[in-house]
Each structure stands twice: as C-alpha cells, then as structure tokens.
C-alpha cells in the first residue's frame, strides 16, 4: 500500500510532464526515428497499455479518488491531447546538464503490452529490459526509488536532523543557519567531487552554490529545490552523488545569477581553477575548484543596478549604565553602526545614543534604507530585535531588508584597528599617494568609538566571507556618519508622516516630496537629492549659495535646459570611478584561467566608460564658461563648476591615457599575450586613480548642479506662486526668538493629481504684529473633520524643509529662523508587531517631543489624545500643550477637536486661536432643517482667527455614506449627551482644579474696578501678581508680557501713580538675581 500511495502521488504531480515526454517521443516517431503507422495508430501511441490503466485505476479507487481515470482514458477511446496553449512547451524549458533521454523503440514498448493479470502474470514478471524501458518512459518507480535513496543518503539535511556547524538544532537560540554539520561517516562515503562540494557548501548554507562541471553549472539538494521553484528548472536525480540536481549551461550563468540575486538570494560560484589539459600535465586527479565570489543583493558592484544607493548595514548594541528606567528622558542604549555603499566604494561609521523607544534606530533605518542588516547572534535586546523585524511604513518598498545573524565576526576594537592597518584597508588616493588608518580620523568625532569599530569589524569580516574584500576594502573611502550634527533633524516618524520619500498608500514616489522635486537626469543626482531630503541644512550661508544657483537657473531657462540635456548623456560616473578604483587593486585577469579573456574585456570596457564619461563631464564644465547670457554666472556653485573646467592637469591625464589606449589597439594584432594587455591596463588605471579626488569633486559638483536644476524646474512648473525664503538668525534671549511667517502657503503636491483648487493661507508664529507686539508662537487649530487642518500642518512642515534644502517655497513670501528639529504627530497607526497600540504610538511620539524639542524646533501635533477615553485624552492633550508652550517655547501647531482646550488657553498670550472655515448650505426650501441631510457642509479650507464651535462629525458621517436613520439617531443622542457631558465635564474640571487659570486671573482683575478703596484694589492686584509670577517663574519674558498686557486692561483710572511705581519695582526685582534666593523673596524685599 505504501508503494501504491507513492506511485499514485507521483502521477498526481507529474501527469503534465509525462504527457510532454510522450508527445516529444511521438514527434520523433513521426519524423522517422520509430516505426511508421497510420494517424490512428499514432494517436494510440500516446496511450498506456490497458492492463496498466486498469491497475492504476484500481489504485486510485483504493485511495478514494478517480482522478487518474480522467487523465488516462480506457483503450479504444482516443485520448484528447492538450492544446499547445494549455500544455507547457518543451522547447521553452531551460537547458539542463542531464535531461531525461529519449527512449529508443518507444512505440514498440507501448504496443508490447505486459500480460494481463487474469492470466496469472503481472508487470513484475515482464522481462527486465522491457520493464525498465516501460517504467523509464512513465518515470515512476525509477524516480521514486531515486528520491527514496537520496533522502536516505542525505538524511542529515532533513529538517528533523539538521544541525549547524557546532551541532546545534534550529530551536537553539544560537543556531547558526549559515553552517551545516555533516557526520564523519557520511563524509567518508563521499566521492572526491562530493567532498569538494560539501566541504565548501557546509560553510555557506545561506548561499546558493553553482558548482562548475564542464560546460554546465549545477545546483544540488536544497539549492536545486530553490532553482526548481524560482527558475522553473527541471529537477532530476543525478549530479554529484546522485542527488537532487538542476543545471544551467555556461552561456546562461550570468543571467541566472542576476535573476536569483534580484529575488534576494546570495549566490556563489564554485569555479574550475584549471583546465583538463592542466590536470593531465600534473598527472591527473580531481579538477581543482574553489569559491571565487558570492553575489548578494547588498554588495552588487555592477550590472543592471537601480539608481538608489544600496547599503549593507552592521549594528551592535550596548546598554548604558543606570538607564533601565523607561520613563527617564535619558538615553538607555548606545548603538554602533557601520554601513557600505559597495557600488560607490564608500564606508560609513557612527554611533547614536537611543531611548527606550528606539526612535534613533528607526531614524537611522529610514535614512540609510539598508538592503541587508548584520547583527551579532544573541547580542541584541528583544526590543531592538522587534524594531528590526517589524520596521516598515505602510505600503513601503524601500524598507524591505534582510536580517543576517553573525557569530565570530564581531571583534574587539583593538583587533579591528590592527586588521585595518596591517591589511592596508581604506587608502586615500591623494596626490601624494598617502594612506591612513580608519581609527585616526573617521572615529574622532564619534561619541562611542568602540561600538562603531566593532560594527566595522563585523562588516569587514562579512565582506571577506563574500570574497569581495579585494575590490572594496583597499580602495574604500571611510567617512563618519553623524546623524544629527549640522542638519535639520528629521526622525523616522516625521519622514513617514510627511511622506518625504514615499507615499503611505502603496509605497510609491507619487505624492511624496522626493517625487515632487525629482527631475534629476543622472543617477548620482538622484542619490544626492535623497540624501539632501534626509539631511536639510541649518547653515544659512550654504543655503543661500544653493538658492543663488536655483534663482540663476530659473532666470536662464535656456541654459538650464541645455545643462540638463548634457547631464543626461553622462553615465553613472560616481559608480564608474569607484569601480575603476576597486579594479586597480584586484587581480588583473581574475582567479579563473578559463575566464581570463572575459575578465579582461570587462575591465577594459569599464575603464573606457569611466574615461570617456569623465572627459565628457569636464567638457560640460568648460561649456559653462560659454553660457554667459546676460553676464557671467554669479552663483558660487556655478563659479566653482567653471573653475574645475579650467584645470588642465586632469585633462592632460585623460588625453595621455586615451593615447595609450589608442596605441595599444594599433599594436593589438601583433601582441598575442593577454598578460601584457592586462598589465598595461592596470598601469593606466593606477594613473587614472592618482586623480581620484579631482574626479570625485567633478562628480559632486555635477550632482549638485543636477539637483539644483531639478529645484529650478520644480519652481518653473509649480501650480501656484513660489518664493525664495529669507532666513533670519535666532535671537539669543530664548523665548520669542524663533520666527516662522509664510504668506500664501499652499501644499506643493497635495493637489497636483486630483485637480483640486488651491486655497493659500497665512501662517505666522512668533513674528511682530501690527502694534509692534510679538505674535503667539503656538497656533491652537480647530475646524471640521476633513476641513484641511492636517493639510495645513503638513504644508507648513514641507515649506520649512524645502526652505532648508535650498529650494523655493510654495507661497508668496517666507521668512523663518532655521529649524533644528521637526517633530510630527500625525495620523493614527499602530505597531501591532511590536506590541504598541494606536494610543501607545501617540504617547511615544509625544514623549519624543517633550524630551528633545528646543525653542528652535517646529512641533506639529494633530489630535493628540484621541486614542483613549475622552477625559484621559483631554488631560494628556492639555498637559502636553501647556508644557510645550510654557517650558519648551517651541513653534507649535496644535490641531484638536477638544474644544475645551480653546477655553483653557483663550487668554494665554503665547497661544493664538485659529480655525479652518466652513459653511452650511440648505438642501431644502425649509428655513428650519429637521435632519442632518437637510444641510450640506461646504469646506472653505481658509484659515481665520477664532474658534470653530463644532467638528461637524454628523455631516461628515453623511458624506461617508452612513444611513440617514443612523445619522438622525446619532443627532438625537448628541443633543441629549451634550448637556449632560458639558455639566459633568465642568464638574470634573472644578473637582480637579483645572478651571482656566487665565480666566480666574482676568475675573479677579476685572473685579478690582468694584473696589472703592484704592489701597484694597492695589493689594488685590499684587496678590494676583504674586500668583502669576509663581506659576510662570521659570520664564521672565512671559511674566513681563502678561504683566504689561493685563494691567492695561484694568483701565486708565485705576492705574495711578502708586500702581505704576509698584509695577516698576516688581519688574526690577524679578529681573534681579540675589544670590540663590527665589523670585518671591526678591519681590517681598522690593515691596
């Protein structure tokens, strides 16, 4: 029965394949390779014997199915062959090393039926040759037996028995899936070729291994299953040691490797290092083979690569002492990292001090966007592993990365430093040809050098394991990566919330700032633009240099168009220069003798592309000197570009190298020595690399010009007015120093694709008013649902980012102080895989604001507190708003549906109340509407002073399609609840002592007018004054502002000479520090 089940299951899986084999055999018979017969006989050739059909049908019935009866019709009925469209084409299948051979005499085997079981004979009693040929055609017992034999031979690969190199099972916490344990007795039974393969493969179980045999590359066992699944290659049981095997011819190996790497696999090639003639010369034996290189998605050096940078990131973590309290504002962990852009030859090292929510780590992952992350097995905390496993944005495509656990690659910093110096890694190609060790300069500015060095050591060891160290490390450039210094800080949540790099719907670039600004025509320009968006500037001098260039390119449209047209013709110079730099330090003809000519041709092609591209780039810079429409360019960046075109040394070097190549091509027919050509090419590469710093400067200036041309194009094609931002320095006195004023602000890409109408609005925070007073730095924003509040908040942040990119701003005018950090709390989302609810995410983002914001920051909070109960949400929103206003004094946009907050802060001098306007239109002729459907809500999207009394949730519910009966029921419930909730809310506020403080102050001051005794009135004012300064003692400026504005509201008759003298004395006392005495003591002494 077991054998019957195996046979039956095989036919269920392989019916289509068997039909193809039979069809192929029939074709050969019709072409004269078998016996000829009539068309009716040929049709019957596709049928098995009647006894076989009967036996198989009985097996199917014993298994509870009659599926095979539909596949094989009984004798006498012609079988309906599948059409070419429905049947897989045999010709379209990839070639393999050992495909199933054609069986001679196929028709004869079909016609000579075995004896029927009714006569006491069976298939097993048939002749051995006849039975073997018949079963070989059907592909049943032979393959089933082969599969059983393979499973028995490689039982140490079975999931129930597999172990890593240290004999640990997969359920062990330190299980290393990169290695494999092979029992000694199994290794002893292997042939020489098997040992050659498995000796290497057991150390690279995470890599697909192509094993070179003759003119074919073959995959075995687990790798063969992947090749069968991903590439649809036919799986056979042959190859090294009669195992599962698929193969590809030598001509298709490069394409196969590229496809598998694109699918996310690491792919290695185990090449033959000698020819058969070389083997004979040394007396025979096994052909020498070795792993020459491992291709991975994160270390691709050439080929069809995307424009975006591809990064390989290594991380390590260390808890900080005394930071176990998650409620503390201090950093709890230190994270060291190192990553490489292999195609550009750039290595970066850095470290950050992160909090318990790992906001810094998420920011790093968002900005670097690694393709693969390396970490030490068992060394990271559970919280950090949760972040690594689940970090993504909705619909994201750029955050899909692979996690690779390492073991012994992490080492002590001293060992890393020694390894880098001894092996000569990270040489700088200066004019003098000097070199430096990475710890001497790249680590100097880092806060945690040891962690960064350990991460770099793991990264280097991983590259050595992948066999790419000779091309990357000696010529690599090591740089420090400082996440925050010198740039406007954008954390990971802000980048996602503002959709700077991708939209939140499908992860595409449409509807993102990157998609709006990106008109770059070079790949290195696109990569630079992404880096700029992640790291906007704070230095106003650099910003003005960029703005000067954008303004000049916008004014000279003909020059701008010609510049982009010429840039479009250039290749990816950044990667080509890095590739030449790496090839100069690698073996000139590779390590595989048979592929020496191919390697040499590839090196020559890369070098010629770099040479011609660099020559065209310098010609472009020289062309800029002739583009002087209306006078020479005045922008500093354009002047630097023209100066690079004047340098004749680099041009002379390029011309000398081109002359050598031309001369070599003339003598190529006379020279037959490939080694001589390779040696000459290596010398030319060394000459080229002596000017690497100049080539890199040229590439950088071209990339900047490409990005700034893209900025100018965005300004020319904008849908509304744009302006050049004006920067003013922050005032040193703290409160009131930060300014943000944008007239006619509109969202740059919010209406581009939906055809909406643009409604400009004015946003002013901290600017001077018409009466020379300072306007509030906080906007408390209300308005209806869908009224445009979130759009206004996002547009404000985008305008600030664009200004600090050096780009024109969407608006009529823009004046701002440079922002150091932008914090956003927008939208509603959870992190369910990290165990964080929607409200937990809200509180985490709010905590980041309270811990890190300064008076130069821009904070955007949208509907904080909506993820919990009404009273808890209001209490949190109230407390956060008051802390930001009174303590941090940041520029703040706070949108809310808690209308009680507008009452609380209605009299606060640092809070301005504004709302998004709307209107109600009647849908009926009735003057008094009876239901919600009788009125239509019209959104005006205009920002005005004051408070919106309602959120119009019922009208929005009607727009969303909620049935009218449900909406009408909600309206009735709302009318009843409004009165009850309002009274309960006031009672809770009174009980908790949360009555509006400013309202109490104003009530008390207004009551002074009823006093007949002038002395009693003065005493009352001083008491209120004392309460005010006690509440606001941390902020003298607000204290003075409150005192001046509110005292004037009492009335001119009450402000007599005695009160004015008391006011002067109090101001003088509050601004004087007497030792360590508090303000109250100073005020008491003054009076």
């Amino acid at each position: 029965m077991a054998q019957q089940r195996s046979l039956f299951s095989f036919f269920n899986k392989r019916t289509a394949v068997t039909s193809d084999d039979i069809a192929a055999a029939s074709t050969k018979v019709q072409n004269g390779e078998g016996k000829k017969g009539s068309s009716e006989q040929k049709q019957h050739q596709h049928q098995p014997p009647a006894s076989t059909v009967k036996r198989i049908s009985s097996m199917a019935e014993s298994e509870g199915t009659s599926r095979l009866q539909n596949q094989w019709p009984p004798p006498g009925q012609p079988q309906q062959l599948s059409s070419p469209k429905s049947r897989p084409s045999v010709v379209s299948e990839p070639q393999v090393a050992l495909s199933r051979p054609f069986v001679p005499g196929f028709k004869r085997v079909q016609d000579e039926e075995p004896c029927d079981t009714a006569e006491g004979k069976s298939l097993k009693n048939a002749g051995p040759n006849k039975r073997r040929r018949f079963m070989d055609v059907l592909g049943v017992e032979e393959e089933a037996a082969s599969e059983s034999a393979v499973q028995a031979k490689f039982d140490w690969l079975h999931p129930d028995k597999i172990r890593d190199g240290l004999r640990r099972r997969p359920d062990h916490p330190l299980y290393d899936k990169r290695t494999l344990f092979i029992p000694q007795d199994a290794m002893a039974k292997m042939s020489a070729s098997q040992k050659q393969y498995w000796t290497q493969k057991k150390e690279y179980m995470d890599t697909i291994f192509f094993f070179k045999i003759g003119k074919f590359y073959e995959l075995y066992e687990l790798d063969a299953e992947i090749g069968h699944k991903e590439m649809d290659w036919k799986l056979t049981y042959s190859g090294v040691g009669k195992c599962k095997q698929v193969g590809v011819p030598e001509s298709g190996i490069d394409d196969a490797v590229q496809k598998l790497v694109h699918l996310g696999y690491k792919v290695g090639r185990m090449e033959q290092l000698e020819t058969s003639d070389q083997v004979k010369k040394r007396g025979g034996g096994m052909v020498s083979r070795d792993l020459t290189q491992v291709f991975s998605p994160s270390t691709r050096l050439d080929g069809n690569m995307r424009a975006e940078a591809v990064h390989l990131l290594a991380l390590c973590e260390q808890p900080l002492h005394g930071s176990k309290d998650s409620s503390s504002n201090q950093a709890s962990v230190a994270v060291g990292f190192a990553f490489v852009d292999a195609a550009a030859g750039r290595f970066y090292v850095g470290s950050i001090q992160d909090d318990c929510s790992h906001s810094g780590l998420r920011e790093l992952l968002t900005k670097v966007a690694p393709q693969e992350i390396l970490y030490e097995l068992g060394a990271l905390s559970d919280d950090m592993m949760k972040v690594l496993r689940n970090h993504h944005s909705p619909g994201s495509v750029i955050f899909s990365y692979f996690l690779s656990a390492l073991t012994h690659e992490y080492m002590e910093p001293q060992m890393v430093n020694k390894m880098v110096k001894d092996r000569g890694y990270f040489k700088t190609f200066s004019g003098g040809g000097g070199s430096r060790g990475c710890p001497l300069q790249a680590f100097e500015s880092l806060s945690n050098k040891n962690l960064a060095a350990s991460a770099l050591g793991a990264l280097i060891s991983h590259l050595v394991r992948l066999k790419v160290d000779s091309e990357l490390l000696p010529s690599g450039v090591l740089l420090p990566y400082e996440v925050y210094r010198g740039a406007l800080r954008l954390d990971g949540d802000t980048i996602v919330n503002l959709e700077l790099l991708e939209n939140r719907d499908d992860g595409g670039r449409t509807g993102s700032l990157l998609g709006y600004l990106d008109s770059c025509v070079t790949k290195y320009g696109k990569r630079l633009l992404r880096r700029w968006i992640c790291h906007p500037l704070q230095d106003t001098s650099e910003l003005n240099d960029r703005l000067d260039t954008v303004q000049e390119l916008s004014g000279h449209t003909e020059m701008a168009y010609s510049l982009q047209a010429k840039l479009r013709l250039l290749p990816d110079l950044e990667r080509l220069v890095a590739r030449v730099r790496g090839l100069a330090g690698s073996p000139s003809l590779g390590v595989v003798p048979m592929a020496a000519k191919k390697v040499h041709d590839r090196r020559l092609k890369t070098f010629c592309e770099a040479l011609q591209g660099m020559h065209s780039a310098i010609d472009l810079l020289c062309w800029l000197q002739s583009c002087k429409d209306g006078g020479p360019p005045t922008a500093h960046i354009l002047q630097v570009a023209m100066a690079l075109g004047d340098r004749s040394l680099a041009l002379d070097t390029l011309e000398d190298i081109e002359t050598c190549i031309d001369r070599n091509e003339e003598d190529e027919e006379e020279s037959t020595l490939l080694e001589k050509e390779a040696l000459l090419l290596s010398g030319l590469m060394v000459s080229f690399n002596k000017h690497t710093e100049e080539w890199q400067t040229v590439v950088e200036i071209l990339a900047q010009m490409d990005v700034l041309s893209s900025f100018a194009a965005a300004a020319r094609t904008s849908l509304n007015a744009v302006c050049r931002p004006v920067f003013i320095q922050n005032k040193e006195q703290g409160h009131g120093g930060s300014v943000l004023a944008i007239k006619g602000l509109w969202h740059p890409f919010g209406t581009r694709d939906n055809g909406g109408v643009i409604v400009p609005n004015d946003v002013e925070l901290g600017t001077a008013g018409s009466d020379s007073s300072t306007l509030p730095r906080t906007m408390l924003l209300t308005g209806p649902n869908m009224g445009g509040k979130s759009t206004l908040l996002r547009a404000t942040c985008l305008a600030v980012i664009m200004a600090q990119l050096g780009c024109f701003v969407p608006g009529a005018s823009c004046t701002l102080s440079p922002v150091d950090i932008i914090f956003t709390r927008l939208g509603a989302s959870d992190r369910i895989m990290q165990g964080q609810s929607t409200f937990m995410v809200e509180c985490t983002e709010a905590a980041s604001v309270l811990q890190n914001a300064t008076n130069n920051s821009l904070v955007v909070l949208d509907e904080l507190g909506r993820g919990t109960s009404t009273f808890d949400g209001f209490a949190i929103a109230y407390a956060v708003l008051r802390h930001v206003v009174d303590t941090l004094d940041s520029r703040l946009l706070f949108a809310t549906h808690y209308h009680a907050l507008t009452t609380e802060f209605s009299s606060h001098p640092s809070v301005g109340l504004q709302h998004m306007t709307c209107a109600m239109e009647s849908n009926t002729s009735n003057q008094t509407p009876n239901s919600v459907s009788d009125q239509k809500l019209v959104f005006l999207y205009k920002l005005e002073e004051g408070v919106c009394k309602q959120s119009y949730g019922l009208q929005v519910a009607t727009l969303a399609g909620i049935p009218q009966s449900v909406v009408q029921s909600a309206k009735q419930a709302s009318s009843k609840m409004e009165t009850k909730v309002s009274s309960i809310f006031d009672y809770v506020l009174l009980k908790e002592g949360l009555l509006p403080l400013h309202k109490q102050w104003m009530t008390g001051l207004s009551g002074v007018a009823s006093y007949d005794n002038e002395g009693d009135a003065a005493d009352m004012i001083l008491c209120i004054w004392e309460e005010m300064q006690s509440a606001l003692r941390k902020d003298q400026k607000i204290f003075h502002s409150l005192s001046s504005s509110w005292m004037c509201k009492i009335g001119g008759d009450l402000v007599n000479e005695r009160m004015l003298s008391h006011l002067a004395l109090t101001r003088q006392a509050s601004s004087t520090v007497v030792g360590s005495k508090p303000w109250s003591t100073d005020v008491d002494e003054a009076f």
Side-chain angles (χ1 to χ4, degrees), residues 18 64 79 96 155 231 336 398 420 463 474 545 555 752 834 902 946 1030:
T18 305
Q79 181 186 9
V96 295
D155 61 339
M231 307 295 290
I398 66 172
V420 170
L463 296 176
D545 287 342
R752 176 177 290 271
Q834 300 180 36
T902 60
S1030 177

Side-chain angles (χ1 to χ4, degrees), residues 29 66 258 280 551 757 918 921 1051 1075:
V29 172
S66 59
Q258 291 290 336
K280 292 178 181 179
Q551 187 169 355
V757 179
C918 63
E921 292 183 355

Side-chain angles (χ1 to χ4, degrees), residues 14 17 21 89-102 143 210-211 213-220 223-229 231-239 243-253 256:
R14 294 298 299 272
V17 177
D21 293 339
S89 175
V90 178
V91 179
S92 63
E93 293 181 4
Q95 290 179 308
V96 295
L98 295 173
S99 59
R100 180 176 299 167
F102 172 72
E143 190 154 345
F210 278 100
F211 192 73
I213 296 183
K215 296 294 183 180
F216 283 86
Y217 288 86
E218 298 182 349
L219 302 178
Y220 304 120
D223 295 345
E225 294 178 1
I226 295 176
H228 174 65
K229 172 187 174 183
M231 307 295 290
D232 199 25
W233 292 336
K234 184 179 293 184
L235 186 67
T236 61
Y237 292 86
S238 57
C243 58
K244 297 178 186 177
Q245 178 261 336
V246 298
V248 62
E250 190 177 42
S251 58
I253 183 61

Side-chain angles (χ1 to χ4, degrees), residues 498-509:
L498 297 180
E499 298 177 301
L500 299 184
L501 302 177
E502 60 179 11
N503 65 62
R504 303 187 69 177
D505 295 331
D506 58 4
R509 292 176 40 168

Side-chain angles (χ1 to χ4, degrees), residues 67 246 308-309 318 630 981:
R67 177 178 177 181
V246 298
E308 295 82 2
Q318 179 181 356
V981 171

